[in-house]
Amino acid sequence: MQQMLAIFITVFLAELGDKTQLATLLFATDRQQHPVLIFFAAGGALVASTAVAVVLGTAGAHYLSAIPLKLLAGIGFVAIGLWSIYAHFAGA
């Protein structure tokens, strides 16, 4: 139960304010769409994308067990950060 709560909190906080939530907010401003329809469509999309992530993560862990995936993810985030800093100072 503690693991489920940790996963829920982590994903919930990661989703706050991201482009998916902002897109859903914009759909909700359309008076021609019923809010319940928007809720179920957005919820279904999140469930489907999460299912894909779980399947790919499970397969990745099975086939890439020798590679420290957390290390690769960390290196990827650092690389994106450095690229963003470079782009800022390069005027891009």
Side-chain angles (χ1 to χ4, degrees):
M1 185 65 166
Q2 220 173 8
Q3 282 183 320
M4 281 186 57
L5 184 60
I7 293 167
F8 176 86
I9 290 171
T10 302
V11 172
F12 180 80
L13 292 176
E15 290 295 323
L16 286 179
D18 77 341
K19 62 184 181 284
T20 305
Q21 188 180 35
L22 295 174
T24 304
L25 184 137
L26 290 175
F27 281 120
T29 63
D30 184 3
R31 296 278 183 190
Q32 296 175 350
Q33 297 292 332
H34 196 279
V36 174
L37 174 69
I38 296 166
F39 174 79
F40 282 112
L46 181 58
V47 168
S49 67
T50 301
V52 170
V54 170
V55 168
L56 291 177
T58 302
H62 178 72
Y63 292 111
L64 303 172
S65 61
I67 300 171
L69 296 177
K70 288 183 182 179
L71 176 63
L72 287 176
I75 290 170
F77 280 115
V78 169
I80 290 169
L82 291 173
W83 178 45
S84 297
I85 292 170
Y86 171 79
H88 172 75
F89 288 110

mmCIF file with all atom_site columns, all heavy atoms in Angstrom, residues 46-61:
data_model
loop_
_atom_site.group_PDB
_atom_site.id
_atom_site.type_symbol
_atom_site.label_atom_id
_atom_site.label_alt_id
_atom_site.label_comp_id
_atom_site.label_asym_id
_atom_site.label_entity_id
_atom_site.label_seq_id
_atom_site.pdbx_PDB_ins_code
_atom_site.Cartn_x
_atom_site.Cartn_y
_atom_site.Cartn_z
_atom_site.occupancy
_atom_site.B_iso_or_equiv
_atom_site.pdbx_formal_charge
_atom_site.auth_seq_id
_atom_site.auth_comp_id
_atom_site.auth_asym_id
_atom_site.auth_atom_id
_atom_site.pdbx_PDB_model_num
ATOM 1  N N   . LEU A 1 46 ? -4.960 9.218  -20.349 1.00 0.00 ? 46 LEU A N   1
ATOM 2  C CA  . LEU A 1 46 ? -3.905 9.053  -19.346 1.00 0.00 ? 46 LEU A CA  1
ATOM 3  C C   . LEU A 1 46 ? -3.721 7.584  -18.979 1.00 0.00 ? 46 LEU A C   1
ATOM 4  O O   . LEU A 1 46 ? -2.596 7.106  -18.859 1.00 0.00 ? 46 LEU A O   1
ATOM 5  C CB  . LEU A 1 46 ? -4.221 9.873  -18.090 1.00 0.00 ? 46 LEU A CB  1
ATOM 6  C CG  . LEU A 1 46 ? -3.189 9.799  -16.970 1.00 0.00 ? 46 LEU A CG  1
ATOM 7  C CD1 . LEU A 1 46 ? -1.815 10.267 -17.461 1.00 0.00 ? 46 LEU A CD1 1
ATOM 8  C CD2 . LEU A 1 46 ? -3.627 10.632 -15.790 1.00 0.00 ? 46 LEU A CD2 1
ATOM 9  N N   . VAL A 1 47 ? -4.823 6.858  -18.844 1.00 0.00 ? 47 VAL A N   1
ATOM 10 C CA  . VAL A 1 47 ? -4.739 5.424  -18.533 1.00 0.00 ? 47 VAL A CA  1
ATOM 11 C C   . VAL A 1 47 ? -4.037 4.681  -19.676 1.00 0.00 ? 47 VAL A C   1
ATOM 12 O O   . VAL A 1 47 ? -3.167 3.838  -19.442 1.00 0.00 ? 47 VAL A O   1
ATOM 13 C CB  . VAL A 1 47 ? -6.139 4.834  -18.262 1.00 0.00 ? 47 VAL A CB  1
ATOM 14 C CG1 . VAL A 1 47 ? -6.109 3.314  -18.234 1.00 0.00 ? 47 VAL A CG1 1
ATOM 15 C CG2 . VAL A 1 47 ? -6.691 5.380  -16.952 1.00 0.00 ? 47 VAL A CG2 1
ATOM 16 N N   . ALA A 1 48 ? -4.395 5.003  -20.923 1.00 0.00 ? 48 ALA A N   1
ATOM 17 C CA  . ALA A 1 48 ? -3.775 4.331  -22.075 1.00 0.00 ? 48 ALA A CA  1
ATOM 18 C C   . ALA A 1 48 ? -2.278 4.632  -22.161 1.00 0.00 ? 48 ALA A C   1
ATOM 19 O O   . ALA A 1 48 ? -1.470 3.718  -22.388 1.00 0.00 ? 48 ALA A O   1
ATOM 20 C CB  . ALA A 1 48 ? -4.472 4.752  -23.370 1.00 0.00 ? 48 ALA A CB  1
ATOM 21 N N   . SER A 1 49 ? -1.890 5.892  -21.969 1.00 0.00 ? 49 SER A N   1
ATOM 22 C CA  . SER A 1 49 ? -0.464 6.234  -22.043 1.00 0.00 ? 49 SER A CA  1
ATOM 23 C C   . SER A 1 49 ? 0.306  5.614  -20.881 1.00 0.00 ? 49 SER A C   1
ATOM 24 O O   . SER A 1 49 ? 1.461  5.216  -21.041 1.00 0.00 ? 49 SER A O   1
ATOM 25 C CB  . SER A 1 49 ? -0.266 7.751  -22.095 1.00 0.00 ? 49 SER A CB  1
ATOM 26 O OG  . SER A 1 49 ? -0.648 8.354  -20.881 1.00 0.00 ? 49 SER A OG  1
ATOM 27 N N   . THR A 1 50 ? -0.339 5.507  -19.716 1.00 0.00 ? 50 THR A N   1
ATOM 28 C CA  . THR A 1 50 ? 0.308  4.855  -18.575 1.00 0.00 ? 50 THR A CA  1
ATOM 29 C C   . THR A 1 50 ? 0.481  3.364  -18.847 1.00 0.00 ? 50 THR A C   1
ATOM 30 O O   . THR A 1 50 ? 1.513  2.782  -18.497 1.00 0.00 ? 50 THR A O   1
ATOM 31 C CB  . THR A 1 50 ? -0.515 5.088  -17.294 1.00 0.00 ? 50 THR A CB  1
ATOM 32 O OG1 . THR A 1 50 ? -0.614 6.495  -17.069 1.00 0.00 ? 50 THR A OG1 1
ATOM 33 C CG2 . THR A 1 50 ? 0.127  4.424  -16.093 1.00 0.00 ? 50 THR A CG2 1
ATOM 34 N N   . ALA A 1 51 ? -0.497 2.741  -19.485 1.00 0.00 ? 51 ALA A N   1
ATOM 35 C CA  . ALA A 1 51 ? -0.387 1.321  -19.831 1.00 0.00 ? 51 ALA A CA  1
ATOM 36 C C   . ALA A 1 51 ? 0.794  1.086  -20.770 1.00 0.00 ? 51 ALA A C   1
ATOM 37 O O   . ALA A 1 51 ? 1.558  0.128  -20.584 1.00 0.00 ? 51 ALA A O   1
ATOM 38 C CB  . ALA A 1 51 ? -1.686 0.826  -20.467 1.00 0.00 ? 51 ALA A CB  1
ATOM 39 N N   . VAL A 1 52 ? 0.958  1.964  -21.750 1.00 0.00 ? 52 VAL A N   1
ATOM 40 C CA  . VAL A 1 52 ? 2.095  1.847  -22.667 1.00 0.00 ? 52 VAL A CA  1
ATOM 41 C C   . VAL A 1 52 ? 3.408  1.993  -21.890 1.00 0.00 ? 52 VAL A C   1
ATOM 42 O O   . VAL A 1 52 ? 4.360  1.217  -22.094 1.00 0.00 ? 52 VAL A O   1
ATOM 43 C CB  . VAL A 1 52 ? 2.004  2.902  -23.792 1.00 0.00 ? 52 VAL A CB  1
ATOM 44 C CG1 . VAL A 1 52 ? 3.288  2.960  -24.601 1.00 0.00 ? 52 VAL A CG1 1
ATOM 45 C CG2 . VAL A 1 52 ? 0.818  2.607  -24.698 1.00 0.00 ? 52 VAL A CG2 1
ATOM 46 N N   . ALA A 1 53 ? 3.471  2.952  -20.972 1.00 0.00 ? 53 ALA A N   1
ATOM 47 C CA  . ALA A 1 53 ? 4.690  3.153  -20.179 1.00 0.00 ? 53 ALA A CA  1
ATOM 48 C C   . ALA A 1 53 ? 5.008  1.937  -19.321 1.00 0.00 ? 53 ALA A C   1
ATOM 49 O O   . ALA A 1 53 ? 6.174  1.534  -19.213 1.00 0.00 ? 53 ALA A O   1
ATOM 50 C CB  . ALA A 1 53 ? 4.543  4.398  -19.303 1.00 0.00 ? 53 ALA A CB  1
ATOM 51 N N   . VAL A 1 54 ? 3.984  1.336  -18.726 1.00 0.00 ? 54 VAL A N   1
ATOM 52 C CA  . VAL A 1 54 ? 4.204  0.156  -17.888 1.00 0.00 ? 54 VAL A CA  1
ATOM 53 C C   . VAL A 1 54 ? 4.683  -1.021 -18.735 1.00 0.00 ? 54 VAL A C   1
ATOM 54 O O   . VAL A 1 54 ? 5.627  -1.723 -18.362 1.00 0.00 ? 54 VAL A O   1
ATOM 55 C CB  . VAL A 1 54 ? 2.922  -0.208 -17.102 1.00 0.00 ? 54 VAL A CB  1
ATOM 56 C CG1 . VAL A 1 54 ? 3.054  -1.566 -16.430 1.00 0.00 ? 54 VAL A CG1 1
ATOM 57 C CG2 . VAL A 1 54 ? 2.611  0.870  -16.070 1.00 0.00 ? 54 VAL A CG2 1
ATOM 58 N N   . VAL A 1 55 ? 4.072  -1.228 -19.891 1.00 0.00 ? 55 VAL A N   1
ATOM 59 C CA  . VAL A 1 55 ? 4.488  -2.335 -20.769 1.00 0.00 ? 55 VAL A CA  1
ATOM 60 C C   . VAL A 1 55 ? 5.925  -2.128 -21.242 1.00 0.00 ? 55 VAL A C   1
ATOM 61 O O   . VAL A 1 55 ? 6.753  -3.049 -21.176 1.00 0.00 ? 55 VAL A O   1
ATOM 62 C CB  . VAL A 1 55 ? 3.518  -2.474 -21.969 1.00 0.00 ? 55 VAL A CB  1
ATOM 63 C CG1 . VAL A 1 55 ? 4.085  -3.406 -23.031 1.00 0.00 ? 55 VAL A CG1 1
ATOM 64 C CG2 . VAL A 1 55 ? 2.159  -2.963 -21.501 1.00 0.00 ? 55 VAL A CG2 1
ATOM 65 N N   . LEU A 1 56 ? 6.233  -0.921 -21.702 1.00 0.00 ? 56 LEU A N   1
ATOM 66 C CA  . LEU A 1 56 ? 7.599  -0.651 -22.169 1.00 0.00 ? 56 LEU A CA  1
ATOM 67 C C   . LEU A 1 56 ? 8.613  -0.724 -21.029 1.00 0.00 ? 56 LEU A C   1
ATOM 68 O O   . LEU A 1 56 ? 9.725  -1.227 -21.206 1.00 0.00 ? 56 LEU A O   1
ATOM 69 C CB  . LEU A 1 56 ? 7.663  0.717  -22.845 1.00 0.00 ? 56 LEU A CB  1
ATOM 70 C CG  . LEU A 1 56 ? 6.937  0.830  -24.188 1.00 0.00 ? 56 LEU A CG  1
ATOM 71 C CD1 . LEU A 1 56 ? 7.016  2.261  -24.712 1.00 0.00 ? 56 LEU A CD1 1
ATOM 72 C CD2 . LEU A 1 56 ? 7.515  -0.140 -25.196 1.00 0.00 ? 56 LEU A CD2 1
ATOM 73 N N   . GLY A 1 57 ? 8.232  -0.224 -19.853 1.00 0.00 ? 57 GLY A N   1
ATOM 74 C CA  . GLY A 1 57 ? 9.132  -0.294 -18.703 1.00 0.00 ? 57 GLY A CA  1
ATOM 75 C C   . GLY A 1 57 ? 9.394  -1.718 -18.265 1.00 0.00 ? 57 GLY A C   1
ATOM 76 O O   . GLY A 1 57 ? 10.528 -2.087 -17.937 1.00 0.00 ? 57 GLY A O   1
ATOM 77 N N   . THR A 1 58 ? 8.352  -2.534 -18.281 1.00 0.00 ? 58 THR A N   1
ATOM 78 C CA  . THR A 1 58 ? 8.513  -3.944 -17.912 1.00 0.00 ? 58 THR A CA  1
ATOM 79 C C   . THR A 1 58 ? 9.401  -4.665 -18.922 1.00 0.00 ? 58 THR A C   1
ATOM 80 O O   . THR A 1 58 ? 10.301 -5.418 -18.547 1.00 0.00 ? 58 THR A O   1
ATOM 81 C CB  . THR A 1 58 ? 7.136  -4.629 -17.827 1.00 0.00 ? 58 THR A CB  1
ATOM 82 O OG1 . THR A 1 58 ? 6.337  -3.924 -16.875 1.00 0.00 ? 58 THR A OG1 1
ATOM 83 C CG2 . THR A 1 58 ? 7.261  -6.073 -17.408 1.00 0.00 ? 58 THR A CG2 1
ATOM 84 N N   . ALA A 1 59 ? 9.151  -4.422 -20.207 1.00 0.00 ? 59 ALA A N   1
ATOM 85 C CA  . ALA A 1 59 ? 9.983  -5.043 -21.246 1.00 0.00 ? 59 ALA A CA  1
ATOM 86 C C   . ALA A 1 59 ? 11.414 -4.526 -21.167 1.00 0.00 ? 59 ALA A C   1
ATOM 87 O O   . ALA A 1 59 ? 12.366 -5.302 -21.300 1.00 0.00 ? 59 ALA A O   1
ATOM 88 C CB  . ALA A 1 59 ? 9.397  -4.767 -22.630 1.00 0.00 ? 59 ALA A CB  1
ATOM 89 N N   . GLY A 1 60 ? 11.551 -3.234 -20.937 1.00 0.00 ? 60 GLY A N   1
ATOM 90 C CA  . GLY A 1 60 ? 12.894 -2.657 -20.830 1.00 0.00 ? 60 GLY A CA  1
ATOM 91 C C   . GLY A 1 60 ? 13.664 -3.228 -19.661 1.00 0.00 ? 60 GLY A C   1
ATOM 92 O O   . GLY A 1 60 ? 14.860 -3.527 -19.775 1.00 0.00 ? 60 GLY A O   1
ATOM 93 N N   . ALA A 1 61 ? 12.991 -3.395 -18.537 1.00 0.00 ? 61 ALA A N   1
ATOM 94 C CA  . ALA A 1 61 ? 13.667 -3.966 -17.365 1.00 0.00 ? 61 ALA A CA  1
ATOM 95 C C   . ALA A 1 61 ? 14.060 -5.413 -17.615 1.00 0.00 ? 61 ALA A C   1
ATOM 96 O O   . ALA A 1 61 ? 15.090 -5.881 -17.144 1.00 0.00 ? 61 ALA A O   1
ATOM 97 C CB  . ALA A 1 61 ? 12.756 -3.871 -16.145 1.00 0.00 ? 61 ALA A CB  1
#
